[in-house]
Amino acid sequence: MTGAAPNPALFQAMQMYFQGEKLEALVFILPIGLISLVFGAWLITDSPTSFARGVAIPFLLMGLLMTTVGAVVGYRTPAQVKALEQSLQADQQAALQTELTRIGKVNHAWPLYLVVWGLFGFVGLVLRFAASVELLQGMGIALVFFAGVGLLVDGFAERRTHPFVAAIQANIGDVPVVPND
């Protein structure tokens, strides 16, 4: 099918996947990252307590990470879509196989992300309720917060891949992909 335009269902699934990725990055992840940075900086500069510093540290670190990830994903997505569209025009089957491989790696990583967010939550709860040091209690509360944010972001992101993978598979035939239900 070299030179063939992608069918409408595939094109729609692709657009929905990448539009969702871009919007999640620019409308949720990036702003939460920036707010986290501001909140963490405010706690460091305006609150002299050990508890506030404990809350501030994860907010500053995760704020920096989320701001970077949100900006990179949000601003690289249009170029990624354009490159995929050009690849689909040049050799649709090869492009679909390459994209299926890429998204398969993405889907394979979800269990690891769930473990990381689960550990954030578990460690956060342990620090909050078992530590006697105020700094650690503050860190614990912030870790629980970011566990929730991470689970929310990745929950939507994972589900966004399912229709896209199904559309790719429908256009390249019977290519086995491990389902991620």
Side-chain angles (χ1 to χ4, degrees), residues 142-160:
L143 287 175
V144 170
F145 172 81
F146 284 109
V149 170
L151 288 168
L152 182 65
V153 167
D154 286 345
F156 279 105
E158 177 185 3
R159 280 148 187 84
R160 192 171 46 249

Side-chain angles (χ1 to χ4, degrees), residues 21-78:
E21 188 171 89
K22 179 181 171 183
L23 286 174
E24 183 178 59
L26 295 178
V27 175
F28 187 75
I29 299 171
L30 178 61
I32 293 292
L34 292 170
I35 290 167
S36 296
L37 286 171
V38 169
F39 182 62
W42 172 72
L43 287 173
I44 290 288
T45 60
D46 209 38
S47 186
T49 69
S50 178
F51 178 80
R53 283 193 307 275
V55 173
I57 292 167
F59 268 84
L60 289 169
L61 294 173
M62 291 301 295
L64 182 60
L65 178 66
M66 291 178 76
T67 299
T68 302
V69 168
V72 168
V73 170
Y75 291 112
R76 81 149 188 238
T77 299

Side-chain angles (χ1 to χ4, degrees), residues 1 7 13 133 142:
M1 288 190 119
N7 75 35
V133 177

Side-chain angles (χ1 to χ4, degrees), residues 51 53-55 57-58 124 127 134-144:
F51 178 80
R53 283 193 307 275
V55 173
I57 292 167
L127 289 174
E134 294 257 322
L135 180 96
L136 295 178
Q137 289 179 355
M139 289 178 86
I141 290 173
L143 287 175
V144 170

Side-chain angles (χ1 to χ4, degrees), residues 64-181:
L64 182 60
L65 178 66
M66 291 178 76
T67 299
T68 302
V69 168
V72 168
V73 170
Y75 291 112
R76 81 149 188 238
T77 299
Q80 190 177 3
V81 170
K82 186 175 181 178
L84 180 55
E85 288 173 346
Q86 290 171 346
S87 295
L88 286 167
Q89 288 295 321
D91 186 346
Q92 182 171 315
Q93 291 303 305
L96 289 175
Q97 191 61 53
T98 299
E99 186 61 17
L100 189 61
T101 300
R102 183 196 71 80
I103 203 131
K105 290 176 184 174
V106 169
N107 283 338
H108 186 71
W110 297 126
L112 174 64
Y113 299 154
L114 288 176
V115 168
V116 168
W117 300 129
L119 286 172
F120 267 49
F122 177 75
V123 169
L125 288 171
V126 168
L127 289 174
R128 172 56 187 98
F129 293 110
S132 59
V133 177
E134 294 257 322
L135 180 96
L136 295 178
Q137 289 179 355
M139 289 178 86
I141 290 173
L143 287 175
V144 170
F145 172 81
F146 284 109
V149 170
L151 288 168
L152 182 65
V153 167
D154 286 345
F156 279 105
E158 177 185 3
R159 280 148 187 84
R160 192 171 46 249
T161 67
H162 297 173
F164 187 38
V165 168
I168 293 170
Q169 289 175 324
N171 281 274
I172 60 174
D174 296 326
V175 176
V177 169
V178 178
N180 213 10
D181 292 275

